Amino acid sequence: MKLEGTVVAAHGRHYLIELADGSTLPCFPRGKKSELACGDRVQLERSGEAQGVIDTILPRSSLLYRSNEFRQKLSAANVTLAVLVVATEPSFSDELVTRCLVAAESQDIKALIVLNKCDLIERLPDAEAALSPFTRLGYSILHLSALGEVDALRTQLAGQTSVLVGQSGMGKSTLVNALVPTAGARTREISEALDSGRHTTTHATLYRLPDGAALIDSPGLQEFGLHHLSRSELEHGFREYRVWQGHCRFRNCRHDREPGCAIREAVEAGDVDASRHDTFLRLCQQSRE
Ligand code: GDP
Ligand code: ZN
């Protein structure tokens, strides 16, 4: 008999699937190559007392992933909102924020930046200055202290399947524990099912929130490779380019050193952030296309 479920944790080729009744079942995919992400909806069959085999991945509405030269890594499927967690301390990489935003834009996933540890008020001005390019682009920035009140974030997560992304040390785990009272229980459940008791924190994990919302916590990351995106997908990911698109002299303009490049002129006029544009050019060089 075919069952349907949702991937709530992924560990190599070993997945923990949540079934309709809320119970979970460790499963393997039937095919050799299929790779699943947390949040994927699947069809499966029981293959034993406490194990199942995944037959089918149901169509995804979105897929957030990153890649280097060699391979790609699926982060989260069927997500509607990407929450990028940064903090007043330690300092964060604004290039990493840009890369996460580009990944989200390329999948038409909404993005929200959370500035955590706002209780460290002496660090606040520097953090706000670092985020000002993103504010100017119209991204929402939510000020928060994971150690205090997190209702403002809870409101944003309502009705969404969200993924939390961020460098380690920004307070992502603290935030998850504040938002999801049962987080500890789920972590134990996953580590028993997939790790035979070893505690690793490398899993992406899906948590249920009230009223059908869900939250996927992805492991802390130091880099977010975008080798899989084509030049036009990258261009789409930089929302500040949209007003200038189609205004370059050459239709195949690379926005680098071409004469009559509208985007280059916008950079020189200070209308487009120069460091974001540098990131764009670097990403284009790495594009596998
Ligand atoms: P993660 O690596 O992103 O999961 O970060 P953690 O949740 O482990 O937090 C890293 C450190 O920051 C811990 O020492 C937390 O106690 C601390 N921390 C997290 N949130 C806050 C906050 O809102 N304010 C302050 N002052 N410290 C925080
Ligand atoms: Zn151009």
Side-chain angles (χ1 to χ4, degrees):
M1 193 186 67
K2 285 256 197 294
L3 299 169
E4 273 189 24
T6 305
V7 177
V8 296
H11 186 54
R13 279 176 43 78
H14 206 164
Y15 299 98
L16 191 65
I17 311 293
E18 186 185 72
L19 304 175
D21 64 3
S23 66
T24 52
L25 190 66
C27 294
F28 288 97
R30 199 182 291 285
K32 273 244 158 5
K33 292 196 88 173
S34 46
E35 201 186 340
L36 291 88
C38 218
D40 261 326
R41 300 275 308 151
V42 297
Q43 287 179 332
L44 59 106
E45 269 175 274
R46 284 189 191 273
S47 60
E49 186 59 12
Q51 198 170 302
V53 178
I54 299 163
D55 285 316
T56 318
I57 309 176
L58 297 174
R60 293 160 170 148
S61 62
S62 69
L63 181 62
L64 194 69
Y65 59 102
R66 50 207 178 89
S67 58
N68 60 22
E69 293 151 86
F70 310 108
R71 61 182 304 265
Q72 56 196 41
K73 186 155 175 32
L74 309 187
S75 296
N78 299 316
V79 161
T80 56
L81 176 69
V83 179
L84 316 181
V85 183
V86 298
T88 53
E89 187 181 88
S91 60
F92 57 88
S93 155
D94 50 3
E95 173 158 344
L96 197 71
V97 174
T98 287
R99 286 167 174 263
C100 294
L101 291 172
V102 169
E105 298 265 6
S106 77
Q107 291 285 306
D108 290 324
I109 299 170
K110 277 178 295 180
L112 168 69
I113 299 173
V114 165
L115 176 59
N116 188 31
K117 310 196 198 181
C118 284
D119 53 301
L120 305 174
I121 43 173
E122 71 285 7
R123 305 279 308 151
L124 206 48
D126 283 354
E128 280 174 339
L131 288 175
S132 65
F134 304 107
T135 316
R136 275 201 294 279
L137 292 172
Y139 290 106
S140 309
I141 299 179
L142 188 64
H143 287 219
L144 210 74
S145 170
L147 298 177
E149 185 55 69
V150 299
D151 277 353
L153 179 55
R154 204 173 269 128
T155 306
Q156 299 285 328
L157 302 181
Q160 310 282 345
T161 297
S162 311
V163 60
L164 283 185
V165 193
Q167 292 168 260
S168 34
M170 299 295 151
K172 225 151 43 67
S173 320
T174 310
L175 211 47
V176 169
N177 286 317
L179 292 164
V180 190
T182 56
R186 168 130 287 176
T187 308
R188 282 190 295 282
E189 181 187 7
I190 291 167
S191 110
E192 273 163 33
L194 301 187
D195 286 328
S196 29
R198 272 174 295 134
H199 267 277
T200 57
T201 52
T202 54
H203 309 290
T205 305
L206 184 143
Y207 303 96
R208 294 290 173 193
L209 298 175
D211 301 322
L215 177 66
I216 298 174
D217 183 23
S218 66
L221 44 87
Q222 291 311 329
E223 46 179 27
F224 201 116
L226 295 172
H227 294 247
H228 56 283
L229 294 184
S230 68
R231 170 175 284 277
S232 68
E233 286 169 324
L234 289 168
E235 208 172 296
H236 176 75
F238 285 76
R239 55 164 65 167
E240 61 269 54
Y241 294 167
R242 286 175 204 167
V243 284
W244 317 102
Q245 262 154 1
H247 291 87
C248 298
R249 184 177 308 163
F250 300 111
R251 273 196 64 199
N252 59 352
C253 184
R254 296 176 163 263
H255 318 309
D256 193 359
R257 291 183 201 295
E258 289 82 356
C261 171
I263 289 176
R264 164 67 63 193
E265 282 164 14
V267 172
E268 275 155 21
D271 293 326
V272 164
D273 184 81
S275 102
R276 293 244 314 166
H277 186 63
D278 286 344
T279 301
F280 168 76
L281 293 175
R282 211 160 41 244
L283 289 171
C284 286
Q285 276 169 7
Q286 295 169 346
S287 167
R288 217 183 275 134
E289 187 187 35

